[in-house]
Amino acid sequence: MEKRATMHEVAELAGVSQATVSLVLNGVPNARVSKATRRRVQEAAEQLGYRRGKTHPVPAGRTRVIGLFIDEVSTTPFAAAFIEGARDEAALQDVTIATFCTGNDPALEQAGLDMLVAQNAIGAIYCTLITRQVTVPAAFSQLPLVLLNCYEKKVQHPSVVPGDIVGGFTATDALLRAGHRRIAHLAGEHIVEAAIDREQGFRQAMDKWGVAVDESLVTLGGWTIRAGRERALALLSQPNPPTAIFCFNDRMAIGCYEVARDLGLSVPGDLSIVGFDDEDIAANMDPPLSTMVLPHDEMARWAVGQLLDGFDGVDADERLQKLKIECELLERNSIAPPEG
């Protein structure tokens, strides 16, 4: 039987990493891959006769099941995107996703792993709802593993996280392009890595445009609607208030909307606002909120693809990586040039 071309061979021929090949051939949107690179990967795949589109080989001798271990499902609204993305990608190959909500309980994790090992499952995905560094429990060494929305200090497994720094940059850049220079940032709690990264992106965008950050317009420590309300009121009550606000998340943006309305300010006529996360309510706000979309669906699909493609014949340095997928800006109706 003719030897089947591998993803590693496509990567070598195209002169890119295996991760880039995976992103291109799986059609993952928002990934930072140039058109020229995409064309090179596609031509290499065609030349080698490598499969195209979202078709993955199921590892031989494995039961068509992947375990998805999630620490929580109720602390944020993001669990559904992870579960649905993994489920939809796996279903393309008639593979089932078995979801385990463990709360980081070692006994529950072990029970799920025992079930998967007994079935000789394809592998496991270790997922956290909040992007963070993790120490993967030793028990997970029993199966091939990919980390979703988390990563290790010393990389031992493939992992994928959102590009929060670039996301913060893109959101702020949208306000700068609209003409704003007095821009506030409602930052999140610095115990949350995404808050640090999004603020870093905010500062990088301001620096690129040569606009000094007014530290009185950067407020820390919030993520709720109430926090957004309180911080927006303090900012907009200043003698020289901001003309635009970049919020750590959509919930804080809701608070900004409420304060603007109470003060008789119009959005975006008097105040432009950008959120982050694209929660369901964002599109239904008045006016609809411009926001950054977390690529959780794409991330989950990539994680499934990594397990289905397997790691045979791939160099350790090639597969042990921390991949970042960019967040997309959804420009709706909450950004306008400043008055005057």
Side-chain angles (χ1 to χ4, degrees), residues 274-285:
V274 178
F276 213 111
D277 297 346
D278 192 34
E279 293 198 39
D280 289 344
I281 194 172
N284 297 303
M285 293 168 65

Side-chain angles (χ1 to χ4, degrees), residues 4-336:
R4 179 182 178 275
T6 67
M7 182 178 289
H8 185 55
E9 291 169 339
V10 175
E12 284 189 335
L13 181 60
V16 299
S17 69
Q18 185 211 5
T20 299
V21 173
S22 178
L23 291 170
V24 171
L25 298 184
N26 290 330
V28 175
N30 306 332
R32 297 187 67 182
V33 181
S34 69
K35 290 182 179 178
T37 299
R38 288 182 183 275
R39 184 169 59 252
R40 209 161 63 242
V41 169
Q42 290 163 351
E43 288 173 352
E46 186 173 351
Q47 181 178 331
L48 294 173
Y50 188 77
R51 56 92 180 158
R52 301 288 296 274
K54 296 185 177 182
T55 301
H56 302 271
V58 176
R62 298 278 186 172
T63 303
R64 304 175 86 90
V65 175
I66 290 174
L68 174 61
F69 291 78
I70 303 182
D71 53 355
E72 298 289 347
V73 295
S74 58
T75 53
T76 76
F78 306 134
F82 289 131
I83 295 170
E84 291 171 5
R87 178 201 64 197
D88 292 348
E89 184 67 22
L92 294 172
Q93 280 65 243
D94 296 322
V95 171
T96 298
I97 296 293
T99 304
F100 304 90
C101 180
T102 65
N104 293 128
D105 184 326
L108 294 177
E109 290 175 345
Q110 189 63 62
L113 284 168
D114 289 345
M115 182 185 304
L116 294 171
V117 170
Q119 294 178 349
N120 195 27
I122 292 167
I125 297 171
Y126 188 85
C127 176
T128 61
L129 288 195
I130 295 176
T131 308
R132 59 186 175 91
Q133 181 179 303
V134 297
T135 300
V136 178
F140 281 90
S141 63
Q142 300 172 85
L143 288 169
L145 183 68
V146 175
L147 307 186
L148 175 56
N149 204 40
C150 55
Y151 63 95
E152 301 158 296
K153 183 175 182 179
K154 182 179 180 181
V155 179
Q156 299 182 66
H157 304 90
S159 64
V160 59
V161 296
D164 278 309
I165 295 177
V166 177
F169 181 98
T170 302
T172 308
D173 185 70
L175 296 170
L176 289 160
R177 283 189 288 104
H180 295 277
R181 296 297 179 266
R182 191 158 176 78
I183 302 174
H185 177 44
L186 300 194
E189 300 172 333
H190 274 186
I191 59 172
V192 177
E193 191 166 312
I196 298 172
D197 286 353
R198 293 174 193 179
E199 182 181 336
Q200 182 178 337
F202 161 77
R203 293 180 181 276
Q204 288 180 356
M206 296 287 278
D207 181 66
K208 181 182 177 182
W209 281 77
V211 178
V213 174
D214 184 339
E215 297 299 336
S216 71
L217 300 184
V218 179
T219 67
L220 303 177
W223 63 275
T224 63
I225 295 175
R226 179 177 178 179
R229 218 168 23 230
E230 293 171 348
R231 286 156 178 74
L233 180 60
L235 289 169
L236 296 174
S237 298
Q238 292 184 15
N240 185 19
T243 62
I245 302 177
F246 163 43
C247 300
F248 166 68
N249 63 11
D250 292 344
R251 298 184 186 192
M252 295 182 80
I254 294 172
C256 291
Y257 268 54
E258 292 178 354
V259 169
R261 183 184 62 241
D262 291 345
L263 295 178
L265 302 175
S266 71
V267 177
D270 301 309
L271 180 68
S272 290
I273 300 173
V274 178
F276 213 111
D277 297 346
D278 192 34
E279 293 198 39
D280 289 344
I281 194 172
N284 297 303
M285 293 168 65
D286 185 19
L289 176 67
S290 296
T291 186
M292 303 301 300
V293 181
L294 284 166
H296 287 167
D297 181 88
E298 294 95 330
M299 289 162 57
R301 289 176 179 273
W302 182 87
V304 169
Q306 286 292 291
L307 287 173
L308 290 175
D309 286 334
F311 306 132
D312 290 344
V314 179
D315 293 339
D317 290 342
E318 191 77 16
R319 66 181 177 86
L320 296 183
Q321 56 165 317
K322 176 185 175 184
L323 175 69
K324 291 188 177 183
I325 296 181
E326 281 192 21
C327 307
E328 176 189 1
L329 172 65
L330 275 184
E331 290 200 55
R332 294 187 174 115
N333 304 109
S334 63
I335 301 175

